[in-house]
Amino acid sequence: MPEANDFIRQIIADDRLSPSFEPPVHTRFPPEPNGYLHLGHAKSICLNFGVAKEFDGLCNLRFDDTNPVKEDMEYVNAIRDDVRWLGGNWEDREFYASNYFEKLYAYAEKLIELGCAYVDDLSQEEIRAMRGTLTEPGKESPYRTRSVAENLDLFRRMRAGEFPDGSRVLRAKIDMSSPNIVMRDPTIYRIRHAHHQRTANDWCIYPLYDFAHCLSDSIEHITHSLCTLEFVNNRELYDWILDTLGVYHPKQIEFARLNLTHTILSKRKLIQLVQEKHVTGWDDPRMPTLCGLRRKGVPPEAIHAFCKRIGLARSDSTVEYAMLEFCIREYLNEHAPRLMAVLDPIHVIIDNYPDDQVEYFTMPLFPEDPSFGTREVPFAKHLVIERDDFRENPPKKFHRLSKGAEVRLRYAYLITCTDVVTGSDGTIKELHCTYDPESRGGQAKDGRKVKGTLHWLSANHAKKAVVRLYDQLFTKANPEDVEPGQTFIDNLNPHSLTLCDALIEPELHTLPVGKTVQFERVGYFCKDPDSTEDCAVFNRTATLRDSWAKQEKKGE
Ligand code: ATP
Ligand code: MG
């Protein structure tokens, strides 16, 4: 029995004990294929597939493809990839609301026959105007009293394509004075002479979400239909349709949607970012899309850990982006191999090292876990280190390199800086150092303590790379917080991407695309598909901020 650590799992656990419950627990993830999946969807995927797994149940993937105008096969394929990437397994249960168009149509006719639906000739604007408000009841349509026979005839002719778009709709006949506006004779079918990606031109009328969704759940024998809070008011309609038709009735339960600081989680707005080219595409690593996060190097396990940590609530809140970064760092800290790259190189010459000598050091890919294996790293007279690891005027307790100081080159030798060569513009051109030949491996024979350890590369063996340093896509925690006349676009961070020419160890040059590693002391980076034979491209997945802060404190 799984732990009931949130209110949804508690409800399901209780339901399973009821004598009328028919196993298995059955959930579904119901995306509309009108955009790419984002982190909000990840929350729903982790919940629906997670619950199914924990309760020995099943979870379907159902495409809610009831709107032929905005939907596309490109999105269907991308959604499949993303759900699979997060570990969602729907086996052979890939369904489409459009699979049920014939059944849904039959249910609509049945509602008409029951006197519970009618064809309305009012325009959409008129219907809206007559709907009433929270304080005023709505007005009944003059077409509300049509006979069953007339409604059936008109609805069949709607299906046969006799009427133009927008000329008529089918509405459920419920209650125009219901305190719940959703129940004021909602539209359940509309005319749309449009090509559908799966049913082509078979249909010119399409069911609306509220009608298609509950009945799709019912047809698939979903036991628990988990959705976000904005559907609380729609639950009454969900229940009404199923009860009126007397069909199998899943339980709808609402939970709070995920909101994340510095991010937009709305497909409509993400589409705008792509179409207006504020980002390079859906999979731009700055996007909160699952394909963007994947390209950035975020492992699916980190997203699962994140979803677990934020939990499920019954009221909306906003999660700090830093929480996601924490989960990414926490996972990669334990799983990412460590290699060396120098982002802002400064040339180091080891004066007492033989000119043409090259030594190879066997370095662990993960110091704490030998099962990761090792690689050979070349060492020679000409090296590079990080420019920031040298100071002409070092502050107190600076344990990195400065003139006269001794540091350890990671796994290699102890070196001491003897001279600094400065160019005419004042910038440092190169550092001259000596090495202690007795310190192979990085330890002094005489036992003297050397605190600082730097990463380094052999200048002539290092390969070129372009490194993309990403920052938040939006400057404000809430991108919707705008001045009058502005939109969220005005809150885009102009510095969300910084490119940097870096040097990397040879092993990183041959690393497979899509692999995330730690550049020691620098951060986590993922090899990008834009990499070429000549130049690797790496995306920064996350900084080392936490451990870095600690190192700085220790003065390393
Ligand atoms: P958007 O607002 O981005 O257009 P949507 O809700 O219209 O999203 P759907 O494709 O209909 O997108 O969503 C599929 C499933 O994912 C639904 O069950 C929905 O409740 C869930 N979902 C979407 N956004 C979030 C979110 N931010 N947090 C949690 N679940 C979400
Ligand atoms: Mg939706």
Side-chain angles (χ1 to χ4, degrees):
M1 176 64 95
E3 255 179 279
N5 44 13
D6 58 63
F7 76 98
I8 289 185
R9 286 170 168 87
Q10 186 63 56
I11 292 172
I12 297 175
D14 291 346
D15 285 350
R16 281 171 97 213
L17 298 177
S18 143
S20 63
F21 183 79
E22 279 180 49
V25 168
H26 206 146
T27 56
R28 83 287 170 268
F29 173 63
E32 186 182 350
N34 63 348
Y36 282 63
L37 299 183
H38 52 60
L39 271 167
H41 296 110
K43 178 174 180 178
S44 178
I45 293 168
C46 290
L47 174 63
N48 281 294
F49 283 96
V51 157
K53 202 167 180 180
E54 293 156 36
F55 287 94
D56 239 344
L58 302 169
C59 180
N60 297 354
L61 174 61
R62 184 197 315 139
F63 291 98
D64 168 25
D65 57 347
T66 50
N67 183 352
V69 181
K70 289 189 182 159
E71 296 158 7
D72 204 312
M73 267 322 274
E74 176 199 348
Y75 298 136
V76 169
N77 291 328
I79 289 170
R80 277 197 204 114
D81 289 347
D82 288 345
V83 175
R84 222 176 271 130
W85 179 65
L86 275 184
N89 183 2
W90 60 94
E91 297 165 292
D92 57 350
R93 295 178 313 282
E94 176 172 311
F95 299 126
Y96 294 78
S98 58
N99 292 350
Y100 311 134
F101 280 172
E102 200 60 59
K103 283 187 187 166
L104 297 175
Y105 177 83
Y107 280 130
E109 282 209 353
K110 186 162 176 209
L111 274 189
I112 294 174
E113 284 161 5
L114 291 167
C116 294
Y118 61 99
V119 173
D120 198 341
D121 300 357
L122 294 181
S123 68
Q124 224 182 327
E125 295 71 49
E126 289 168 313
I127 292 177
R128 197 175 301 128
M130 290 169 72
R131 201 189 289 141
T133 62
L134 283 175
T135 50
E136 276 173 59
K139 289 194 195 73
E140 294 189 354
S141 161
Y143 303 100
R144 196 175 197 265
T145 52
R146 278 178 165 152
S147 68
V148 169
E150 190 185 357
N151 281 319
L152 268 184
D153 174 61
L154 285 170
F155 189 50
R156 286 174 185 164
R157 288 165 61 198
M158 277 169 63
R159 175 180 181 169
E162 283 189 31
F163 311 120
D165 286 5
S167 58
R168 292 194 159 88
V169 295
L170 184 71
R171 296 177 74 178
K173 191 171 180 176
I174 310 179
D175 179 4
M176 286 308 291
S177 55
S178 169
N180 181 358
I181 295 180
V182 173
M183 297 299 279
R184 295 182 187 168
D185 292 7
T187 298
I188 57 177
Y189 264 92
R190 63 182 165 187
I191 303 173
R192 259 292 141 97
H193 290 268
H195 181 91
H196 186 282
Q197 48 156 342
R198 290 181 64 87
T199 58
N201 297 318
D202 291 353
W203 294 88
C204 63
I205 56 171
Y206 290 94
L208 273 92
Y209 173 86
D210 280 321
F211 188 69
H213 193 75
C214 59
L215 287 166
S216 303
D217 282 349
S218 173
I219 292 166
E220 293 175 18
H221 224 274
I222 298 304
T223 56
H224 296 86
S225 178
L226 313 176
C227 63
T228 42
L229 279 174
E230 60 279 16
F231 292 100
V232 167
N233 290 335
N234 301 58
R235 189 188 339 132
E236 197 178 347
L237 178 55
Y238 186 102
D239 292 341
W240 182 91
I241 293 169
L242 299 178
D243 288 344
T244 305
L245 288 167
V247 294
Y248 172 77
H249 194 153
K251 181 183 270 185
Q252 174 178 313
I253 311 170
E254 307 87 15
F255 62 93
R257 65 187 291 117
L258 171 66
N259 299 306
L260 203 57
T261 62
H262 302 281
T263 306
I264 291 246
L265 295 181
S266 145
K267 278 184 281 188
R268 193 172 52 79
K269 290 184 178 147
L270 295 176
I271 287 176
Q272 192 181 339
L273 292 177
V274 173
Q275 285 177 346
E276 294 178 5
K277 300 205 187 321
H278 300 291
V279 292
T280 56
W282 284 101
D283 65 348
D284 187 306
R286 291 166 293 183
M287 291 280 272
T289 49
L290 299 184
C291 55
L293 292 162
R294 184 160 64 235
R295 185 159 184 183
K296 194 175 177 188
V298 175
E301 292 87 348
I303 295 179
H304 278 280
F306 172 69
C307 289
K308 190 161 181 197
R309 196 173 275 269
I310 57 177
L312 288 174
R314 283 179 151 131
S315 59
D316 279 315
S317 64
T318 300
V319 177
E320 291 285 332
Y321 197 87
M323 164 102 83
L324 173 65
E325 291 189 316
F326 173 85
C327 294
I328 296 170
R329 237 179 248 129
E330 191 176 52
Y331 182 84
L332 290 177
N333 184 38
E334 285 180 18
H335 296 89
R338 269 63 167 164
L339 295 109
M340 295 195 293
V342 175
L343 266 48
D344 184 10
I346 183 168
H347 193 182
V348 173
I349 299 156
I350 311 294
D351 289 322
N352 59 340
Y353 196 83
D355 281 355
D356 299 323
Q357 184 169 312
V358 179
E359 262 177 281
Y360 284 85
F361 286 92
T362 303
M363 298 195 187
L365 282 163
F366 198 95
E368 275 109 84
D369 184 349
S371 74
F372 275 72
T374 58
R375 86 278 186 195
E376 303 292 306
V377 181
F379 182 95
K381 187 181 183 81
H382 292 267
L383 304 173
V384 289
I385 64 168
E386 213 67 68
R387 185 168 289 272
D388 190 50
D389 280 336
F390 177 82
R391 295 292 155 83
E392 277 189 289
N393 302 301
K396 255 194 189 166
K397 291 194 179 165
F398 184 79
H399 294 301
R400 292 176 270 161
L401 200 58
S402 57
K403 193 167 172 180
E406 186 172 38
V407 294
R408 174 180 305 100
L409 295 181
R410 182 84 154 142
Y411 297 121
Y413 286 113
L414 300 176
I415 61 164
T416 303
C417 179
T418 52
D419 205 6
V420 181
V421 179
T422 312
S424 53
D425 59 351
T427 59
I428 298 171
K429 288 280 175 252
E430 56 192 35
L431 305 173
H432 284 269
C433 297
T434 56
Y435 85 117
D436 172 2
E438 303 272 78
S439 65
R440 199 170 197 282
Q443 299 305 326
K445 262 225 169 115
D446 62 7
R448 70 182 184 280
K449 294 262 180 295
V450 173
K451 276 197 173 164
T453 301
L454 309 185
H455 59 282
W456 55 272
L457 296 170
S458 159
N460 296 325
H461 295 86
K463 303 276 186 186
K464 278 192 288 188
V466 168
V467 167
R468 299 171 178 155
L469 304 173
Y470 293 108
D471 198 354
Q472 302 284 17
L473 188 51
F474 293 96
T475 50
K476 288 193 180 163
N478 175 10
E480 304 286 1
D481 173 13
V482 291
E483 303 296 324
Q486 293 192 328
T487 70
F488 73 102
I489 297 291
D490 295 287
N491 284 331
L492 280 167
N493 176 7
H495 308 295
S496 59
L497 170 59
T498 309
L499 293 176
C500 142
D501 288 321
L503 292 172
I504 56 176
E505 63 171 273
E507 188 83 7
L508 282 171
H509 185 75
T510 54
L511 193 78
V513 162
K515 197 140 172 62
T516 306
V517 298
Q518 186 190 107
F519 291 175
E520 282 207 62
R521 301 179 63 236
V522 177
Y524 296 101
F525 291 82
C526 181
K527 182 98 169 261
D528 191 82
D530 287 344
S531 299
T532 64
E533 274 296 304
D534 299 329
C535 185
V537 178
F538 279 91
N539 300 325
R540 182 165 70 194
T541 314
T543 58
L544 291 181
R545 199 161 46 218
D546 293 350
S547 47
W548 183 243
K550 246 186 274 157
Q551 279 185 20
E552 285 285 88
K553 224 161 103 201
K554 279 197 293 184
E556 272 182 24

